[in-house]
Amino acid sequence: MIQNLPPVRGTLTAERPLADLTWMRVGGLAEMLFQPADAEDLAAFLAALDPSVPVFPMGVGSNLIVRDGGIPGVVVRLGRGFNSITIDGGMVTAGAAALDGHVARRAADAGLDLTFLRTIPGSIGGAVRMNAGCYGSYVADVLTSVRVVLRDGTLHDLPAADLHLGYRHSSLPEGAIILAATFAPPAGDPATLAARMDDQLAKRDATQPTKDRTAGSTFRNPAGFSSTGRADDTHELKAWAVIDAAGLRGATLGGAVMNVKHPNFLTNAGGASAADLEDLGELVRKKVYDSQGITLEWEIMRVGLRHAD
Ligand SMILES: Cc1cc2nc3c(=O)[nH]c(=O)nc-3n(C[C@H](O)[C@H](O)[C@H](O)COP(=O)(O)OP(=O)(O)OC[C@H]3O[C@@H](n4cnc5c(N)ncnc54)[C@H](O)[C@@H]3O)c2cc1C
């Protein structure tokens, strides 16, 4: 158990269930959940926390399977003190807890094009960490800098280049937490941007199970990605297509199912455990490899322990 926690102005909750904080609605307890009041509260807490205690930052849990045994150490979830959005001289700065969709809408109203963020259901911290993107645009295209707090409690402003953003990848130091991100988006006509976002929302709803308990795409598209993180259409294989070719659309294990509408969306169809979901994902990887020689890599982050101690 964690001993001698530093005093905080935010909220510390021991043994907090995490399932309701994730889209999949599965998983065990955080040994300690910390919701800091602001950046200074978080920095002071980290500086005073025993360095051997692991720290895991979570966003709104739209790319996560928290395992059934929970997450040891401190889970940090940023809230109200971290969701401001400011627009200045063509630049957008958003707190890590701001939702991607809100940021896209505020930017569009100001004639700035972050429309690709509109349909991604995460927070800005998660978007930067995952180099989130869709419809041909990625965080890497527009990010200029991030404010982070490192595990030792020191605050830093880093240029985007330091994150080495790639396909669904960034290289943040272990335990580092993104506090805010600054983007330099291209300009656009607000009405055109609004119409594009409406169009993308409709396209999403038509092709993906947006109302189900999923964490988005389960596996990365298998091959053909350049170092910039951009799809190379001439070589790209779609994960959903190889899952389909293996006959696994609709495959189930316990309460987990490979979604019939889009088979790369692993879904909690009701009553799934994290183990059901992860085991079905591993079964799909094995069957796809055995039948097609293709290795699927997880895009969903799986965190925590399989069983509570
Ligand atoms: C229906 C659906 C559709 C989706 N479509 C897309 C899509 O089109 N494109 C796409 O890229 N993704 C998509 N996703 C996946 C997901 O929304 C993104 O990966 C999103 O960026 C995750 O943000 P989050 O706040 O939910 O992060 P979480 O899921 O909570 O965390 C994801 C990772 O980010 C880290 N993280 C979160 N916040 C911070 C922080 N402040 N500092 C440091 N690390 C942090 C976590 O430690 C974890 O490693 C989709 C998900 C769903 C459910």
Side-chain angles (χ1 to χ4, degrees):
M1 281 299 289
I2 308 170
Q3 305 287 344
N4 302 327
L5 281 171
V8 297
R9 285 180 285 113
T11 310
L12 278 166
T13 314
E15 305 204 332
R16 168 67 160 86
L18 291 174
D20 67 319
L21 300 181
T22 71
W23 270 61
M24 282 289 202
R25 294 287 190 274
V26 295
L29 312 176
E31 185 177 353
M32 190 65 63
L33 181 73
F34 180 33
Q35 295 164 286
D38 52 34
E40 291 66 37
D41 192 29
L42 176 58
F45 173 83
L46 291 173
L49 182 67
D50 175 347
S52 70
V53 175
V55 171
F56 178 76
M58 72 179 286
V60 293
S62 64
N63 199 51
L64 282 184
I65 292 176
V66 173
R67 295 194 177 102
D68 300 311
I71 302 182
V74 177
V75 174
V76 175
R77 193 167 190 273
L78 306 181
R80 265 199 296 281
F82 299 85
N83 62 6
S84 67
I85 302 170
T86 56
I87 299 179
D88 187 18
M91 309 286 274
V92 178
T93 297
L99 293 176
D100 298 347
H102 290 173
V103 177
R105 285 207 310 261
R106 281 283 304 280
D109 289 346
L112 294 169
D113 185 356
L114 289 177
T115 49
F116 75 96
L117 286 175
R118 177 65 186 90
T119 60
I120 300 176
S123 65
I124 289 296
V128 172
R129 170 68 183 79
M130 300 303 300
N131 186 20
C134 57
Y135 303 119
S137 298
Y138 297 82
V139 163
D141 298 334
V142 286
L143 184 72
T144 61
S145 64
V146 286
R147 185 152 181 77
V148 299
V149 59
L150 300 185
R151 174 61 185 84
D152 64 5
T154 54
L155 292 159
H156 301 263
D157 291 302
L158 304 178
D162 284 13
L163 299 184
H164 306 289
L165 297 173
Y167 175 49
R168 302 291 189 264
H169 168 82
S170 62
S171 52
L172 269 182
E174 186 70 24
I177 301 175
I178 298 159
L179 303 175
T182 299
F183 303 96
D189 164 55
T192 308
L193 299 177
R196 187 183 305 155
M197 291 190 292
D198 285 347
D199 185 45
Q200 290 178 351
L201 281 169
K203 210 181 282 177
R204 264 283 172 180
D205 284 339
T207 58
Q208 295 183 3
T210 51
K211 309 281 184 286
D212 291 351
R213 292 177 177 183
T214 76
S217 296
T218 305
F219 302 109
R220 296 152 191 259
N221 286 325
F225 282 90
S226 67
S227 57
T228 61
R230 211 167 258 304
D232 172 352
D233 291 334
T234 55
H235 301 297
E236 187 183 350
L237 280 171
K238 297 287 187 191
W240 73 262
V242 301
I243 295 168
D244 222 8
L248 295 167
R249 184 188 289 256
T252 62
L253 194 161
V257 58
M258 300 312 292
N259 207 287
V260 171
K261 189 169 185 180
H262 191 308
N264 194 28
F265 278 60
L266 180 60
T267 304
N268 176 0
S273 62
D276 289 343
L277 292 160
E278 194 168 12
D279 291 352
L280 179 57
E282 287 300 331
L283 193 71
V284 167
R285 292 183 72 225
K286 181 172 183 324
K287 289 195 169 176
V288 164
Y289 185 79
D290 289 349
S291 59
Q292 297 162 71
I294 293 167
T295 302
L296 289 174
E297 302 290 350
W298 284 91
E299 181 168 324
I300 296 176
M301 316 282 291
R302 286 104 54 237
V303 290
L305 305 173
R306 209 165 151 96
H307 306 285
D309 286 336

